[in-house]
Amino acid sequence: MVQKIAIIGGGIVGSTAAYYLSQDEYANFEVSMFDEGIGQATKAAAGIISPWLSKRRNKKWFRLASDGAELVAKIAQETKMNDDAYANNGTIITRKNKESLDELYKIALEREKSNPQMGSVQYISKDEIKNLIPIIKNSPYDGLFVPGGSRIDGNLYCQHLLNIAMKRNLSIYKGKVKLINDNQILYKGKIFTFDKIILATGAWSKEILANLKINLNLRPQKGQLIELRIANNEFINKMPVMMPESEYDFIPVGREKLIIGATHDNDQGFDLKHEKSVDIALVKTANNLINNVKANDIILSKVGTRAYTDDFSPFLGMIPGHPSLFIGTGLGSSGLTTGPIVSKLIVDLIKNKKIDLNQYQKPISTYIN
Ligand SMILES: Cc1cc2nc3c(=O)[nH]c(=O)nc-3n(C[C@H](O)[C@H](O)[C@H](O)COP(=O)(O)OP(=O)(O)OC[C@H]3O[C@@H](n4cnc5c(N)ncnc54)[C@H](O)[C@@H]3O)c2cc1C
């Protein structure tokens, strides 16, 4: 029997779910995606996938993020994603002081053992950093090179997966929907009924569930970044991402685009206003590493809204007491890394596969009341 599935939200969670729902030739799904897209975090994101040297002590989050990084690489490979959407060029993490770099290296050696995707982490000197990223004039500090680190373009990644799914069983509808009950959605004045609904609604998940009197522990966070056009013949292919201590991140893309970002504003709610003062601060960071970057070099300034829970952990699963409603949100600032695995697990649940969510998260009731 055909199962009608709705996905609300077309960011990384929704798009990856659509991809997985289109992959199983034995399952019979008819999938509809509804997406408003305004303020979407995925489209605004910087694109760094490199969770392994995070100092977060939350083991469940680390499992989710490291399995997520591995899954992103697998999806990119199996769907033949091009370099603009996903590139595994490594990441460089610098530290001002030698002791904290050594401490990070120790963590790396420990984590390498159970995370093959990370690769073998190496010390990298200031001069070696300049060789890998020649546009950098003044890397002031030495760092570590993480070969498994990658960058993705959230928007291109989603488009690529949606194109695959649309050839099979996916229809996409633009605009905002309301949830009427566990199985019905209001879209452009009409009611649509589904067997199951996936809420991939990011920071807006609290709002959409309020109608069903379900309250989520979730808050929005504003993020802004800039894209610079650097006409510079020192751009080379395959430059890694650079994550300097106490500076914004530095993400070279292709041969002339550089992304600098991103900010984390907890007190601006869903505001999407583009702040000039933030652009200036981001350009200043760029100038700490390369010479003569000007505000005129900015080709795009992006703003998006991340979703955070109180313990900074994503959560996913069936909403307790609502067997046809599934959710995955609270991805915070590493949602391009965790989003794909969050969706794959949701789709596994929909396909009645046995999975152990305890390794990845606290009980879902922690985040819902
Ligand atoms: C500036 C910035 C930089 C970032 N950098 C990184 C990074 O380098 N690495 C990393 O791993 N992560 C990064 N992140 C975090 C990451 O982007 C997010 O965690 C992730 O994209 C969230 O994905 P999502 O699918 O849950 O939500 P979103 O991408 O926000 O998608 C949710 C979608 O649901 C739609 N929606 C909501 N309600 C409705 C409704 N009622 N009807 C219709 N549609 C609806 C929205 O319009 C939106 O399109 C960054 C985020 C920002 C903002």
Side-chain angles (χ1 to χ4, degrees), residues 4 41 95 103-104 139 186 223-224 249 284-285 292 313:
K4 289 177 85 176
R95 285 288 175 271
E103 198 188 315
L104 207 58
S139 168
L186 182 69
Q224 184 172 327
D249 296 323
K284 186 167 173 284
T285 276
N292 280 330
S313 298

Side-chain angles (χ1 to χ4, degrees), residues 134-369:
I135 48 171
I136 289 188
K137 293 294 169 239
N138 348 292
S139 168
Y141 308 109
D142 298 335
L144 297 179
F145 179 69
V146 185
S150 310
R151 65 145 172 86
I152 82 171
D153 178 314
N155 193 32
L156 294 179
Y157 168 98
C158 291
Q159 275 317 315
H160 182 70
L161 297 189
L162 292 175
N163 287 341
I164 294 172
M166 276 191 294
K167 288 190 188 130
R168 306 219 173 133
N169 59 357
L170 173 70
S171 308
I172 300 183
Y173 304 91
K174 277 291 171 202
K176 188 164 183 165
V177 301
K178 259 192 172 167
L179 201 55
I180 303 207
N181 55 41
D182 287 8
N183 296 87
Q184 292 186 307
I185 281 172
L186 182 69
Y187 173 66
K188 296 198 170 163
K190 283 196 186 140
I191 294 177
F192 294 82
T193 303
F194 297 93
D195 297 302
K196 297 208 166 86
I197 298 177
I198 299 176
L199 300 173
T201 34
W204 299 268
S205 304
K206 191 178 170 89
E207 174 192 307
I208 197 163
L209 278 170
N211 212 25
L212 303 194
K213 308 259 181 302
I214 298 169
N215 185 35
L216 296 187
N217 155 2
L218 200 71
R219 62 182 164 81
Q221 184 196 66
K222 178 177 177 181
Q224 184 172 327
L225 56 71
I226 53 172
E227 289 186 9
L228 299 161
R229 175 87 65 212
I230 307 284
N232 187 320
N233 54 15
E234 286 177 326
F235 258 85
I236 55 171
N237 287 330
K238 299 196 176 302
M239 291 194 277
V241 167
M242 169 104 169
M243 300 159 78
E245 191 176 22
S246 20
E247 299 265 7
Y248 293 109
D249 296 323
F250 183 96
I251 304 133
V253 182
R255 289 190 73 94
E256 55 178 16
K257 190 163 91 178
L258 183 63
I259 297 174
I260 308 283
T263 60
H264 296 78
D265 285 315
N266 284 316
D267 51 6
Q268 299 195 34
F270 287 90
D271 175 48
L272 292 173
K273 204 162 54 229
H274 157 236
E275 314 253 3
K276 269 241 146 96
S277 57
V278 169
D279 283 357
I280 291 165
L282 293 167
V283 166
K284 186 167 173 284
T285 276
N287 271 306
N288 290 340
L289 295 174
I290 54 182
N291 295 332
N292 280 330
V293 178
K294 295 177 238 43
N296 280 350
D297 298 322
I298 299 177
I299 43 172
L300 203 57
S301 183
K302 292 186 185 174
V303 179
T305 310
R306 306 178 185 92
Y308 272 93
T309 56
D310 284 350
D311 65 0
F312 304 94
S313 298
F315 66 91
L316 72 109
M318 187 200 88
I319 299 186
H322 301 262
S324 50
L325 274 186
F326 293 78
I327 189 164
T329 185
L331 276 52
S333 53
S334 48
L336 296 183
T337 316
T338 54
I341 186 150
V342 161
S343 336
K344 183 176 183 304
L345 292 167
I346 293 172
V347 172
D348 284 348
L349 288 173
I350 287 180
K351 290 180 179 169
N352 294 320
K353 288 193 186 159
K354 267 206 161 226
I355 48 171
D356 171 20
L357 285 183
N358 282 332
Q359 60 181 317
Y360 294 124
Q361 65 179 25
K362 291 183 191 158
I364 191 168
S365 53
T366 314
Y367 308 97
I368 301 179
N369 50 56

Side-chain angles (χ1 to χ4, degrees), residues 1-3 19-30 168-169 347 350-353:
M1 212 177 73
V2 177
Q3 271 207 71
Y19 167 67
Y20 277 114
L21 285 166
S22 75
Q23 289 304 293
D24 189 340
E25 53 189 290
Y26 303 106
N28 206 353
F29 297 117
E30 190 182 298
R168 306 219 173 133
N169 59 357
V347 172
I350 287 180
K351 290 180 179 169
N352 294 320
K353 288 193 186 159

